[in-house]
């Protein structure tokens, strides 16, 4: 081959190589996101900025509703409220890798498949854990179910089986939220919440271990059941039935609120007088504290421990000072620990229509318990007069009896059967409560009785005015049982 032929062959070969290179170049994607690529089952519009398009989708999807549910509990929220949104940067980075990584042949294949609509890049989701956790923790109380111990129904001679409780598993529910298909074609998205089972402390098999023929200690209080006291009587009976038959193993602690539950209409309670500030007002659950106080007294005389107990803000008519136990749901609880060497059962019932009796069953008395109090008078009360336009002309009605304030120290001496002697003391603070009258606007002051002993002043409030104590109480968050505590 002469020199001219060799040059021609090389020239033709070079042209073919250049042509092939140009063909490869034309087959490869030119933009950061290949043409026709689907992202999150949507196609990037022609001429649109993928970044801006994804940002717009992120903003729109924040308003998408999801339902967080388990059995009878369901909460509807938006993805934005749950702290879930499209991670634009990560999604865009994943889309840009299509047709831009690996050997040329692979890039060409991916580019062609993308143009045919055969490749979809899923959206990458980011979860603001702090925001999502806050939403779940707000839902947790609705999911929670208290475990119910097995108990004996002595009146009907039957065993009531245990019921397992449940609580929200926040961490596992967060995991389910992260794994959700947040951009599916379904009209709404449902996330199944993760739940943990709470085992009851006492099962049916444990019931045979309690000797219900022996009484460790007992205490009785009386109440009225007619007129304005009818609601209290119903609440006392309801609360007593909820703790009756409860069994405590040695070392186990009883929670009054956990067994009685919220003082609501749904939970079987009705409206009755309760204390709000320094006055009595209508509220759900009034009378429940008589059950907790009677139980506290029985446990004290049974030589049991009381890790949690608060006194009322005023003395109670149905029980001596120092033996009352104020409860509100869920803030103030009565807790009793079984310190005896054998299992015990709480038997709370009404031996007659106006008597509440609480017995601690399971064995003979382990000690002789004496309770004494040292009461110091701290303050007198005032007479408070409310002018109410709805009262008929000249009407004067006493709404509340006044009471003085006291600081009380209880002294408890326990003489055990084995010769040991134990002593302890605790305090109860009772604030003064005003004597309250409701009067018509034109009332005659002389129609009011003389100021009783220990009444130190008179306060008159016109229509719409409230005392400072009531204003502070109303500013506190309301509970389902009412704002006050039961009497």
């Amino acid at each position: 081959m002469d020199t001219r032929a060799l040059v021609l062959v090389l020239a033709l070969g070079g042209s073919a190589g250049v042509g092939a290179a140009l063909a490869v170049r034309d087959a490869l994607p030119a933009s950061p996101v290949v043409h026709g690529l689907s992202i999150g089952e949507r196609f990037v519009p022609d001429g649109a900025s993928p970044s801006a398009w994804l940002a717009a989708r992120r903003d729109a999807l924040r308003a998408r509703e999801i339902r967080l549910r388990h059995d009878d509990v369901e909460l509807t929220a938006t993805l934005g409220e749950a702290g879930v949104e499209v991670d634009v940067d990560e999604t865009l980075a994943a889309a840009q890798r299509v047709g831009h990584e690996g050997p040329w042949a692979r890039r060409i294949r991916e580019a062609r498949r993308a143009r045919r609509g055969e490749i979809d890049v899923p959206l990458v989701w980011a979860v603001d854990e702090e925001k999502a956790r806050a939403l779940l923790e707000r839902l947790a109380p609705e999911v929670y179910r208290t475990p119910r111990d097995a108990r004996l129904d002595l009146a009907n001679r039957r065993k009531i089986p245990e019921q397992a409780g449940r609580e929200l598993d926040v961490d596992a529910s967060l995991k389910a939220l992260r794994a959700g298909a947040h951009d599916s074609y379904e009209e709404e998205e449902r996330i199944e919440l993760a739940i943990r089972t709470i085992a009851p402390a006492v099962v049916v098999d444990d019931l045979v271990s309690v000797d219900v023929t022996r009484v460790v200690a007992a205490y009785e209080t009386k109440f009225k059941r007619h007129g304005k006291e009818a609601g209290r009587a119903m609440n006392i009976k309801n609360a007593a039935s909820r703790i009756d038959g409860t069994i405590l193993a040695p070392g186990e602690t009883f929670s009054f609120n956990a067994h009685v539950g919220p003082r609501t209409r749904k939970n079987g309670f009705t409206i009755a007088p309760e204390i709000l500030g320094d006055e009595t007002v209508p509220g759900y659950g009034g009378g429940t504290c008589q059950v907790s106080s009677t139980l506290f007294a029985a446990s004290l005389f049974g030589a049991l421990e009381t890790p949690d107990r608060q006194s009322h803000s005023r003395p109670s008519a149905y029980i001596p000072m120092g033996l009352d136990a104020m409860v509100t749901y869920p803030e103030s609880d009565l807790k009793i620990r079984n310190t005896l060497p054998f299992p015990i059962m709480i038997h709370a019932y009404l031996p007659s229509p106006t008597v509440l009796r609480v017995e601690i069953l399971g064995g003979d008395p382990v000690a002789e318990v004496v309770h004494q109090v040292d009461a110091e008078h701290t303050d007198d009360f005032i007479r408070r007069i409310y002018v109410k336009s709805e009262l008929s002309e000249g009407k004067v009605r006493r709404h509340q009896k006044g009471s003085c304030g006291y600081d009380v120290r209880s002294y408890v001496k326990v003489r055990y059967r084995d010769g040991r002697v134990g002593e302890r003391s605790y305090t109860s603070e009772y604030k003064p409560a005003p004597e309250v009258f409701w009067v018509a606007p034109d009332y005659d002051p002389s129609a009011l009785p003389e100021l009783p002993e220990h009444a130190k002043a008179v306060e008159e409030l016109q229509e719409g005015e409230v005392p400072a104590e009531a204003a502070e109480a109303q500013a506190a968050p309301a509970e389902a049982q009412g704002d006050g505590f039961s009497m």
Side-chain angles (χ1 to χ4, degrees), residues 385-405:
I385 301 171
Y386 286 98
V387 177
K388 293 184 173 287
S389 59
E390 68 268 19
L391 294 180
S392 58
E393 183 178 353
K395 184 72 174 179
V396 172
R397 180 194 304 168
R398 190 173 81 165
H399 173 66
Q400 176 177 290
K401 183 180 178 180
S403 62
C404 297

Side-chain angles (χ1 to χ4, degrees), residues 29-51 53-54 57 88-101 106-124 185:
S31 85
V33 175
V34 298
H35 180 71
L37 183 66
S38 170
I39 303 178
E41 301 182 0
R42 305 286 193 281
F43 291 103
V44 181
D46 291 338
S49 163
S51 178
W53 176 74
L54 274 174
R57 284 191 67 184
V88 173
D89 292 339
E90 289 297 320
T91 304
L92 189 60
Q96 289 174 344
R97 285 193 287 270
V98 176
H100 290 88
E101 291 185 349
R106 172 184 163 187
R107 298 185 191 185
I108 293 171
R109 285 196 303 271
E110 287 184 351
R112 288 172 177 171
R113 290 183 59 214
R115 293 189 187 99
R116 294 196 297 267
E118 297 175 359
I119 297 180
D120 179 71
V121 176
L123 294 174
V124 179
Y185 283 101

